[in-house]
Amino acid sequence: MTTVLLVDDEAAITDNLAPFLQRSGFEVVVAGDGDAALARVAAGRPDLVVLDVLMPGRDGRSVLRELRRGGSTVPIILLTQVGESVERAMALEEGADDYLNKPFDPHELVARIRAVLRRGTPAAGPSLAAAHRLRSGSLVLDRTSQRVLRDGAEVVLTPRATTLLAYLMTHAGETVSRERLLEEVWGWSFHTSTRTVDTRVAELRRAVEADSGDPQLVVTVPGEGYRFAGPVEAA
Amino acid sequence: MRRAPLWVAALLPLAAGVVLAVLGRAGRLPGGRLFLSALPGDWALAAGAALSLLAVVGLGAAALRDRTWRRRLAERVAEAGQDRRLLLSRLDHELKNPLTAMRAATANLAAVADPAQDAAVGTIEEQVLRLSRLTTDLRKIADIESARIDRRPVDLTDLIEEMVDVARDLPGAAERQISVDLPRAPWPLPPVPGDADLLSLAVANLLDNALKYTPPGGRVEVRAREAAGEVVVEVADTGQGIPPDELPQVWEEMYRSPSARAVPGSGLGLPLVRAVVERHGGSVHADSRVGSGTLVRLALPSARHQA
């Protein structure tokens, strides 16, 4: 059975989330603070950690850094409080595999846990979410400098399109809904204009696809959203 | 009391005069009687000069005071804005954990509740979701006011047409007539430097509102033109209208007109529009007549203006 370590200082959250995750088929271990979380990881080797960022004492970021510094590759989903997508991108760079903004739909958390577990951790090197450079065939995304290269030549994209590409590439193979993209890439919960997402995807396709009329990388999943279909590796 | 030394300085010449007069009467001052004579015109000139000098000094003091007050007022306004943002971000922060716990709790409840309780659980889930959205949206408005935004040339013609296309797909749009009037001659709208995504959000919100408050069979008109270095966008409708005394408040966060209670909404649409437009250095204006309809006007500085 898959063991999930749930770390949050708020008992009201762990008391309700733990049974929910159990009902979804996971074995759940709860830690109430950062130090307990580190001890639990060392003792029990969970399959995945759901980690709250804001905790008194040792916070989630510090736990994340400590684990990665110690060479642990356990998948980590951060529960973030910050609304700014820049700060969330930083969380990914520090080695989280995904993040979810509070307050979230518990079903969404289960979906993310399954997606991250399915993605798996590459045998060597950092996970996709933590990689500074992502490669899919001739397409390279340098996340540190926010540059996109195709066949070695730089492609000009708006910052938002670059962030969108980064999100899709780090969630390769997953179908992501327009609403979720709006929330994750734009930081919006106004769902009045999911067309915004389509516009940026069109921009992205013009820049990265060989034939934007017949996209091979960023494909539309009718009625559901978008999916990055190419193989992605950390480069 | 801070001005006491100034008052002393102002009255000092009079006090000195009184002292010298008393000394003179007592014969303590040297010299005889001093005779001064001048032509009436010269007296008039001297009197005029003295009066003007007094007036100029008075005006100077007033101008100085105005400037100080304006500066203090600006400081207060900035402080209030800062306080508001801080409050919003704290509120948002403090609500997130309870809302997360509530969503997990209702999800558990939904899994085990007997069917008789379905309606109650459904209501709780819906309302918690509504609260979550509200806090996120409030936070987003505060973010728009303070965060750095994109400044690329945005083609409003494309953007408006796209958003109108989106609006035509909204529920109920088919029963209302939407018309668009954008200039092509002698030249199209100039680009506006800004964040295309935020600007589309603003236009989408206006269209959404116009459709929401216009009865079936009504009209919604979207117009734009260039005027004095600005691009002016208007969204007009033949909806129920807003009473004049409520008009200024529609731009305030979470204000909902008593007459609009029947229409679902968060009261955050127009404040969001205002935040986006003001962040682009523009201004918003609404005009309305009860029973006739509403016109919302956005003015955005164009790239030509700033070049």
Side-chain angles (χ1 to χ4, degrees):
Chain A
M1 206 186 210
T2 310
T3 307
V4 172
L5 172 62
L6 177 61
V7 191
D8 199 310
D9 60 303
E10 192 95 5
I13 291 176
T14 50
D15 285 355
N16 287 293
L17 213 47
F20 184 83
L21 292 177
Q22 275 156 2
R23 194 172 298 112
S24 307
F26 301 107
E27 194 167 306
V28 182
V29 181
V30 172
D33 60 62
D35 290 314
L38 286 176
R40 289 282 186 185
V41 173
R45 296 204 51 78
D47 299 292
L48 185 137
V49 183
V50 175
L51 182 60
D52 185 31
V53 169
L54 271 182
M55 289 186 290
R58 187 190 276 281
D59 67 5
R61 282 254 168 94
S62 153
V63 173
L64 171 65
R65 273 194 293 263
E66 190 66 33
L67 284 174
R68 293 297 182 242
R69 200 162 35 213
S72 167
T73 54
V74 62
I76 295 175
I77 296 178
L78 280 185
L79 302 181
T80 45
Q81 305 251 7
V82 281
E84 283 296 289
S85 46
V86 185
E87 298 196 38
R88 283 182 275 155
M90 263 163 56
L92 288 185
E93 258 174 46
E94 283 174 7
D97 293 82
D98 209 342
Y99 49 77
L100 204 52
N101 271 336
K102 281 183 173 180
F104 51 82
D105 176 0
H107 297 95
E108 179 69 25
L109 176 62
V110 170
R112 301 284 183 98
I113 291 176
R114 296 218 168 101
V116 168
L117 288 173
R118 228 183 358 252
R119 230 185 283 157
T121 314
S127 70
L128 286 185
H132 291 299
R133 279 166 81 89
L134 296 169
R135 177 193 300 278
S136 177
S138 64
L139 182 71
V140 175
L141 168 67
D142 188 321
R143 293 168 74 193
T144 319
S145 63
Q146 289 284 299
R147 290 195 315 160
V148 179
L149 305 168
R150 205 179 124 209
D151 299 317
E154 184 165 357
V155 185
V156 181
L157 286 174
T158 57
R160 195 86 73 183
T162 311
T163 317
L164 176 64
L165 180 64
Y167 191 84
L168 288 170
M169 283 181 91
T170 48
H171 294 78
E174 252 179 79
T175 300
V176 191
S177 71
R178 290 175 177 79
E179 286 77 13
R180 184 167 142 202
L181 285 173
L182 268 184
E183 265 177 45
E184 301 296 346
V185 178
W186 279 260
W188 295 352
S189 67
F190 309 98
H191 291 172
T192 44
S193 60
T194 49
R195 189 74 71 95
T196 304
V197 177
D198 303 336
T199 314
R200 287 296 149 238
V201 167
E203 179 198 339
L204 205 53
R205 282 177 176 160
R206 279 195 300 275
V208 306
E209 301 278 1
D211 172 9
S212 58
D214 177 28
Q216 301 296 315
L217 295 175
V218 183
V219 299
T220 307
V221 183
E224 290 187 48
Y226 293 103
R227 180 163 55 89
F228 195 89
V232 178
E233 55 180 6
Chain B
M1 272 334 271
R2 272 187 314 153
R3 295 193 192 282
L6 290 177
W7 283 108
V8 170
L11 293 172
L12 207 58
L14 179 64
V18 169
V19 171
L20 289 175
V22 170
L23 288 176
R25 291 272 163 127
R28 297 277 192 85
L29 285 183
R33 209 169 256 271
L34 202 63
F35 290 102
L36 283 175
S37 81
L39 292 170
D42 292 342
W43 279 116
L45 176 66
L51 279 174
S52 286
L53 191 70
L54 274 174
V56 164
V57 168
L59 279 175
L64 219 74
R65 155 171 296 199
D66 275 4
R67 218 168 56 192
T68 318
W69 280 13
R70 261 199 299 275
R71 204 190 58 227
R72 273 192 211 148
L73 193 65
E75 278 168 10
R76 290 273 162 80
V77 169
E79 266 170 35
Q82 190 66 36
D83 282 356
R84 203 179 109 266
R85 273 196 288 277
L86 209 61
L87 172 74
L88 282 182
S89 108
R90 282 186 188 142
L91 184 73
D92 174 61
H93 186 94
E94 286 308 315
L95 287 176
K96 274 183 171 167
N97 274 337
L99 284 170
T100 305
M102 282 158 87
R103 290 187 79 168
T106 47
N108 282 328
L109 207 54
V112 298
D114 71 81
Q117 292 170 356
D118 273 359
V121 173
T123 304
I124 298 175
E125 271 183 332
E126 236 167 68
Q127 298 306 315
V128 169
L129 191 65
R130 191 169 147 195
L131 277 178
S132 308
R133 290 234 168 96
L134 197 67
T135 54
T136 315
D137 291 355
L138 268 175
R139 170 59 178 263
K140 191 62 207 168
I141 292 177
D143 278 352
I144 290 172
E145 286 170 358
S146 58
R148 221 172 58 84
I149 63 161
D150 221 1
R151 294 260 178 221
R152 280 155 200 274
V154 177
D155 183 347
L156 282 180
T157 305
D158 280 359
L159 187 148
I160 291 170
E161 277 173 350
E162 197 184 313
M163 287 304 122
V164 169
D165 272 354
V166 173
R168 286 189 208 277
D169 292 338
L170 290 176
E175 293 95 68
R176 292 150 182 88
Q177 203 185 333
I178 307 178
S179 62
V180 187
D181 175 18
L182 302 171
R184 305 274 173 200
W187 44 73
L189 293 174
V192 164
D195 187 313
D197 295 334
L198 286 180
L199 290 171
S200 16
L201 190 62
V203 173
N205 260 286
L206 291 184
L207 285 166
D208 201 30
N209 266 354
L211 288 170
K212 237 173 23 182
Y213 293 104
T214 303
R219 285 181 66 82
V220 172
E221 292 184 6
V222 186
R223 302 182 277 267
R225 61 196 150 77
E226 187 184 359
E230 287 182 325
V231 174
V232 178
V233 181
E234 289 180 347
V235 177
D237 64 56
T238 57
Q240 61 184 63
I242 306 161
D245 55 319
E246 292 177 12
L247 213 46
Q249 296 165 74
V250 297
W251 302 106
E252 289 169 9
E253 278 125 356
M254 297 172 86
Y255 175 78
R256 299 222 60 213
S257 160
S259 51
R261 292 270 162 201
V263 183
S266 62
L268 290 176
L270 287 178
L272 172 87
V273 171
R274 188 180 81 162
V276 169
V277 172
E278 287 182 351
R279 197 69 184 77
H280 284 80
S283 60
V284 292
H285 176 79
D287 234 334
S288 191
R289 278 188 209 160
V290 175
S292 301
T294 304
L295 170 102
V296 178
R297 185 182 295 130
L298 317 178
L300 292 158
S302 76
R304 233 169 261 166
H305 172 65
Q306 293 181 356

